[in-house]
Amino acid sequence: MDQAGELEAHWRGHVDAWRASGGSQKAYCEQHGLRSHSLSYWHRRLAKGPGPSGARGLLTLVPAVRVPSAAAATPSLSLHSPQGWRLDFAALPPAGWLTALWGERT
């Protein structure tokens, strides 16, 4: 373990022991010969989670897989007629085709 890891482990032990004691930070520090602002600093720092030095060993890379969203499965265009027929398109058809379709209707 490197020096930063040893320092963090030292203070993690004190922070855990102080919490388990149920007493105040000041009383714990007086009892153990610690500076109360140091215990307070490490309490806040450890509550935030691992910092840049502690995070090195925790990083795991996994392959990313793109999963299509549910919205991609729904049609992007849906045409409904008063007669009850319906056309659903997953992708937009060419504008000329839509114009010709509309022209056939009139």
Side-chain angles (χ1 to χ4, degrees):
M1 183 182 301
D2 63 354
Q3 189 175 7
E6 290 175 12
L7 184 62
E8 184 174 320
H10 168 80
W11 281 103
R12 185 177 301 279
H14 278 297
V15 169
D16 291 344
W18 159 67
R19 286 183 183 155
S21 74
S24 69
Q25 284 186 5
K26 183 178 178 182
Y28 180 87
C29 289
E30 287 174 358
Q31 184 180 9
H32 294 277
L34 302 171
R35 295 180 180 171
S36 60
H37 70 275
S38 295
L39 182 64
S40 180
Y41 165 81
W42 279 98
H43 174 245
R44 286 190 313 273
R45 180 173 170 175
L46 295 171
K48 290 181 184 177
S53 64
R56 276 186 242 145
L58 301 175
L59 180 64
T60 303
L61 299 177
V62 296
V65 178
R66 185 168 189 256
V67 178
S69 69
T74 60
S76 62
L77 175 67
S78 185
L79 301 175
H80 303 260
S81 78
Q83 293 81 19
W85 57 262
R86 176 178 152 170
L87 294 174
D88 292 326
F89 299 89
L92 292 175
W97 184 87
L98 289 172
T99 304
L101 178 67
W102 189 258
E104 294 290 326
R105 199 178 78 68
T106 57

